[in-house]
Amino acid sequence: MSVADIVQTMQSKFNAGAAAGLDLVFQFNIEDGENHYLVVKDGTCDVQKGDAENANVTLIMDTETLKGITSGETDGMQAFMAGKLRAEGDMMLAMKLGELFPV
């Protein structure tokens, strides 16, 4: 499964209700794959390939970790504690991803 496939799967699970009134950019830097970012704005989610200019939070991990977190096999907090996931920027927004993209 490619990073693009994983990100598309995330988009299909998007909870628009949890995104009402939000205007955020989540950057995903994938160490062994392509970078993507999600623009969450007023109940919508737009996926883009590449690097966002002003990401609110950047999540750095490998493809396997991203796949595990989005499928529910890996707990994001455990991945973070184990050093498999790093976050730069507003760490509290990383926690919001669970509400926006329920597994």
Side-chain angles (χ1 to χ4, degrees):
M1 185 176 255
S2 74
V3 174
D5 293 335
I6 297 167
V7 175
Q8 290 301 323
T9 301
M10 277 181 71
Q11 190 174 23
S12 72
K13 297 177 182 178
F14 180 64
N15 176 2
L22 295 181
D23 186 0
L24 303 171
V25 178
F26 295 92
Q27 175 73 45
F28 293 89
N29 287 355
I30 309 303
E31 297 167 324
D32 60 346
E34 300 168 330
N35 292 349
H36 285 76
Y37 62 96
L38 301 172
V39 178
V40 176
K41 186 169 182 154
D42 295 327
T44 66
C45 174
D46 183 34
V47 177
Q48 297 289 327
K49 186 174 167 183
D51 299 316
E53 284 186 32
N54 326 350
N56 298 91
V57 63
T58 299
L59 302 168
I60 305 155
M61 68 196 95
D62 62 18
T63 304
E64 196 60 34
T65 302
L66 178 63
K67 183 178 175 187
I69 291 171
T70 57
S71 69
E73 293 170 30
T74 304
D75 178 70
M77 188 54 76
Q78 288 176 340
F80 181 78
M81 295 299 192
K84 294 182 176 184
L85 167 64
R86 297 189 318 275
E88 296 174 354
D90 189 338
M91 303 273 217
M92 294 311 291
L93 291 178
M95 307 296 283
K96 202 128 181 74
L97 281 171
E99 294 171 41
L100 294 171
F101 303 95
V103 178

